[in-house]
Amino acid sequence: MTAPGNGPLIIASGLEKTYPLPESGRLCVLDGAGFTLQGGTTLAVTGQSGSGKSTLIALLAGLDRPDHGQITINGTELTGLDEAGLTRFRAAHIGIVFQQFHLLPHLTAEENVRLPLELLHRPCEAEAIDALLERVGLAARRGHLPSQLSGGECQRVAIARALAVKPLLLLADEPTGNLDVATGREVSDLLFHLVEQERMTMVVVTHNQELADRCHRRLRLTEGVLR
């Protein structure tokens, strides 16, 4: 897959993040990590468990803040925003797909997909939601609750929800980690198909080498640094 020649969407530099240990001292998970990613490019970040991959995703999403360093997405420096500003920027420009799906259990598939648009007070016509569910193969399951869906179906709902706001950036944290091999491949195929159709930028954290190999770029997080 050849990356489109757009300008840089993400510039991350000098990222440091440590966490306190239960007894004493601190655990350093990011130690000067940084990268630049062009718009329309897909990037896989791999590394051992506990290497800081999910921390990196949380920082890119504005769900956590680095101790040091900067993250600029589409010209906006996240580290310069207050919490309300981070929330607004994330809601409007970033879609996130989690390993654990994070669907609201009391909402149907359709309602879960509609939710981010409602939170942003954006139009959410039924036809547009139906079209999204159709694209992820769940038109017939629109009225089902997460408990009535399989793991693969839940992840498809999560992907549709992430795409509902037409984000600049899609972040995926182990998107196939809770799925069997066959279902994981189906979800991967869907994810890359939609990303390519929309010419989106995606950063995916994964242990799945097959999934990583489908990205334009691959970086490994080792000893707090991206190589």
Side-chain angles (χ1 to χ4, degrees):
M1 193 187 302
T2 303
N6 299 332
L9 184 75
I10 304 175
I11 303 172
S13 60
L15 298 179
E16 298 180 14
K17 187 66 179 179
T18 62
Y19 295 101
L21 293 172
E23 295 184 5
S24 62
R26 299 185 69 84
L27 173 66
C28 178
V29 292
L30 295 177
D31 188 15
F35 68 96
T36 299
L37 191 64
Q38 300 296 106
T41 303
T42 53
L43 168 68
V45 177
T46 61
Q48 295 181 345
S49 295
S51 61
K53 301 187 303 300
S54 291
T55 295
L56 178 64
I57 286 283
L59 297 182
L60 293 173
L63 294 169
D64 198 358
R65 292 181 182 271
D67 299 329
H68 299 284
Q70 292 184 329
I71 298 171
T72 301
I73 297 178
N74 200 40
T76 297
E77 185 185 327
L78 298 196
T79 41
L81 299 177
D82 59 18
E83 290 302 319
L86 276 173
T87 298
R88 286 193 298 270
F89 184 86
R90 179 173 58 249
H93 301 300
I94 299 176
I96 311 174
V97 179
F98 297 97
Q99 178 178 355
Q100 304 291 342
F101 317 138
H102 291 312
L103 301 178
L104 293 183
H106 61 285
L107 298 183
T108 64
E110 177 189 8
E111 290 166 341
N112 268 287
V113 173
R114 185 189 300 273
L115 183 61
L117 292 169
E118 292 179 339
L119 292 175
L120 286 170
H121 304 291
R122 286 191 189 176
C124 47
E125 293 87 355
E127 294 82 1
I129 302 301
D130 287 346
L132 258 179
L133 289 169
E134 179 73 36
R135 291 177 74 187
V136 299
L138 289 179
R141 308 283 273 166
R142 62 197 298 274
H144 288 67
L145 297 171
S147 60
Q148 299 169 315
L149 301 173
S150 68
E153 288 171 332
C154 284
Q155 195 60 298
R156 287 169 181 265
V157 174
I159 291 170
R161 179 184 59 187
L163 296 181
V165 298
K166 299 183 178 178
L168 291 170
L169 173 64
L170 182 65
L171 303 174
D173 189 357
E174 295 286 4
T176 61
N178 271 351
L179 308 175
D180 61 66
V181 173
T183 305
R185 283 184 180 140
E186 291 176 1
V187 168
S188 295
D189 288 344
L190 172 67
L191 190 60
F192 279 92
H193 175 67
L194 293 173
V195 165
E196 186 171 4
Q197 273 192 332
E198 300 296 327
R199 297 180 65 82
M200 291 174 58
T201 306
M202 179 172 70
V203 178
V204 57
V205 159
T206 184
H207 284 99
N208 185 331
Q209 194 58 48
E210 184 179 327
L211 190 156
D213 287 342
R214 299 182 67 166
C215 292
H216 297 129
R217 291 180 58 197
R218 291 169 294 284
L219 292 173
R220 184 170 180 82
L221 189 54
T222 306
E223 297 179 348
V225 177
L226 287 162
R227 307 179 191 278

